[in-house]
Amino acid sequence: MKSKSNDLNSEAVYSQILHNCKLCILLGLLILLLSACSPHPAAHTWVTDDQNEPGISKLDVTFEGTAEFYSTADLKSIRRCFWGAKSRTIIELNCVHAEDTEIKETYELEVADNNSARLTHNKILIARLSKQTIRDQELKEMEKEKNKKEH
């Protein structure tokens, strides 16, 4: 026959285990929420000044997991992509050509430091990129407006 004190001890132990499990679950959810909110360093607008085979002038990587490549010729979107993080500094871009969505390509963008990155395709360097600042964007827009007025 079990005594009342044993039953009470068992209930206290089960209650403590249940309380600890709730705390562990809450702590785990909190960690997931906090880690999911920090943006990947690649989520930015990147520009290149050098010529490259695909004719890329700008790569716009959004926080939401999409990206677009822009052409040097007319600043039109030439590739549309979805991206996912491979590491703290590398993202993989799964892209389709804007004009023919049957053509699919995969790229990697590796952030070298806070302001520069390397774009590769099949492990071959395609372009070196730098982060576009707000001031860079303003200057380019001013130059475009000036060119429109001159023509």
Side-chain angles (χ1 to χ4, degrees), residues 138-148:
E138 290 171 351
L139 290 172
K140 285 186 180 187
E141 287 174 18
M142 287 170 50
E143 188 176 317
K144 270 195 242 178
E145 288 298 317
K146 182 181 172 187
N147 288 340
K148 282 182 185 177

Side-chain angles (χ1 to χ4, degrees), residues 117-130:
R118 297 167 25 101
L119 181 66
T120 59
H121 176 62
N122 295 328
K123 302 195 188 262
I124 298 169
L125 180 66
I126 299 296
R128 294 184 190 279
L129 303 153
S130 57

Side-chain angles (χ1 to χ4, degrees), residues 37-57:
C37 291
S38 59
H40 195 280
H44 208 282
T45 299
W46 299 91
V47 293
T48 181
D49 292 330
D50 60 350
Q51 297 294 327
N52 50 69
E53 185 191 327
I56 298 166
S57 65

Side-chain angles (χ1 to χ4, degrees), residues 69-132:
F69 288 91
Y70 291 91
S71 165
T72 52
D74 53 14
L75 294 178
K76 277 185 15 182
S77 174
I78 56 174
R79 286 172 185 72
R80 295 187 181 102
C81 315
F82 289 102
W83 67 267
K86 287 185 78 173
S87 72
R88 296 178 113 195
T89 59
I90 299 173
I91 63 170
E92 182 176 87
L93 299 126
N94 296 303
C95 307
V96 295
H97 283 239
E99 304 217 353
D100 183 357
T101 58
E102 294 298 313
I103 301 173
K104 298 176 182 178
E105 297 174 327
T106 302
Y107 295 88
E108 281 189 3
L109 181 70
E110 180 179 5
V111 179
D113 60 38
N114 213 20
N115 294 314
S116 66
R118 297 167 25 101
L119 181 66
T120 59
H121 176 62
N122 295 328
K123 302 195 188 262
I124 298 169
L125 180 66
I126 299 296
R128 294 184 190 279
L129 303 153
S130 57
K131 236 181 218 184
Q132 184 177 34

Side-chain angles (χ1 to χ4, degrees), residues 11 28 32 36 47 127 131 134 148 150:
E11 285 181 30
L32 282 174
V47 293
K131 236 181 218 184
I134 298 297
K148 282 182 185 177
E150 288 176 359

Side-chain angles (χ1 to χ4, degrees), residues 53-68:
E53 185 191 327
I56 298 166
S57 65
K58 181 169 90 168
L59 171 58
D60 191 15
V61 181
T62 68
F63 177 72
E64 292 84 17
T66 61
E68 287 191 74

